[in-house]
Amino acid sequence: MNIVIFGAPGSGKGTQSEKLIAEYGLEHISTGELLRDHIARGTALGKLADTYISNGQLIPDEFMIDVLDDIFKQDPAKAEKGVIFDGFPRTVAQAEALSELLARYGSDVHAVVGLEVEEDELVRRMLERGKQSGRSDDNLDTIKKRLEVYHRQTSPLRDYYMGKGKYHAINGNGTVDGIFGDIKTALDGQKA
Ligand code: AP5
Ligand code: MG
């Protein structure tokens, strides 16, 4: 099963991905983590990504789609094991590229888990994390830009996947375990 974990910055994608991995034994692809790793290693991709990330902007689609392509070329077995996509896709172009890519391995996106969290809570979580995370985008200025980019470029994917009958809206306010319980119910219901 390939699952997209979807939601605004700070909605809990990374947190819930960890729990999904433990429960379903899936692979995890977090494009944000991957880019931060490139930045830390000073690669060409990292140098390109650095300015976009600290300004709260998306890395252009053509680069991100190539990054995904490379991951599957290096490890085609990933598509068979099933993947949690965290932070990808973020645009309709990325969603279409993801379907095409998975189709090459005889697979598809099976479910999209949408974590829906109030804006005040998103800001609170990211500011709190920013006290320790060292992330260049966990400051109020950049958080505002990330939320704006989310509304403009990423949130249309909600309707996109809803139209395909794949979107599961999850209330992302509340406790980590409570939210995970709701995700499991939605996914187990889909499998049945
Ligand atoms: P990315 O790393 O994907 O960040 P993001 O989408 O902004 O989301 P976060 O990682 O901040 O939050 P999260 O939803 O994972 O929540 P978390 O579990 O950490 O992307 C960063 C940047 O990289 C982008 O802005 C862009 O520039 C670039 N990028 C990445 N992918 C790209 C793509 N595909 N195309 C183009 N550019 C791309 O939780 C947040 C905090 O809240 C944590 O401290 C957590 O402990 C806490 N928390 C979690 N759940 C709860 C809860 N239920 N109650 C209270 N606290 C909670
Ligand atoms: Mg994350």
Side-chain angles (χ1 to χ4, degrees):
M1 184 147 81
N2 293 308
I3 300 170
V4 170
I5 187 138
F6 180 80
S11 59
K13 299 185 294 296
T15 305
Q16 295 297 334
S17 289
E18 280 177 27
K19 298 188 74 75
L20 282 164
I21 292 159
E23 178 80 16
Y24 297 103
L26 299 166
E27 299 275 325
H28 184 210
I29 297 179
S30 159
T31 43
E33 276 174 25
L34 187 145
L35 293 167
R36 284 187 287 279
D37 177 59
H38 274 270
I39 293 172
R41 288 188 288 121
T43 67
L45 176 63
K47 287 189 179 117
L48 172 101
D50 200 6
T51 327
Y52 286 103
I53 291 185
S54 50
N55 279 305
Q57 306 300 309
L58 299 184
I59 282 76
D61 285 339
E62 61 265 33
F63 292 103
M64 290 314 300
I65 292 167
D66 275 356
V67 166
L68 256 275
D69 222 12
D70 284 347
I71 292 176
F72 283 98
K73 277 186 185 139
Q74 278 168 28
D75 187 0
K78 269 204 165 74
E80 281 162 35
K81 282 187 220 157
V83 175
I84 298 170
F85 294 93
D86 163 0
F88 190 99
R90 271 175 139 93
T91 61
V92 172
Q94 290 184 13
E96 285 172 350
L98 180 60
S99 282
E100 280 169 31
L101 194 154
L102 289 172
R104 270 186 249 149
Y105 300 91
S107 197
D108 198 359
V109 168
H110 298 106
V112 177
V113 171
L115 297 171
E116 305 194 343
V117 179
E118 285 153 23
E119 196 124 331
D120 287 356
E121 171 68 5
L122 296 171
V123 175
R124 191 196 66 73
R125 287 183 191 177
M126 285 185 276
L127 286 178
E128 185 59 34
R129 182 180 56 190
K131 291 178 189 166
Q132 303 203 348
S133 68
R135 274 178 60 163
S136 65
D137 56 353
D138 275 346
N139 58 77
L140 192 56
D141 263 6
T142 311
I143 288 170
K144 283 185 185 158
K145 289 184 195 158
R146 287 160 70 194
L147 289 170
E148 201 185 289
V149 163
Y150 171 76
H151 290 301
R152 195 175 60 242
Q153 294 179 265
T154 305
S155 67
L157 283 176
R158 187 180 187 278
D159 283 351
Y160 174 89
Y161 282 120
M162 192 94 81
K164 294 185 183 297
K166 293 182 177 177
Y167 188 86
H168 299 272
I170 302 290
N171 180 356
N173 303 286
T175 66
V176 170
D177 287 340
I179 296 162
F180 183 61
D182 291 345
I183 295 176
K184 267 201 326 190
T185 305
L187 292 178
D188 293 344
Q190 162 141 344
K191 273 196 293 187

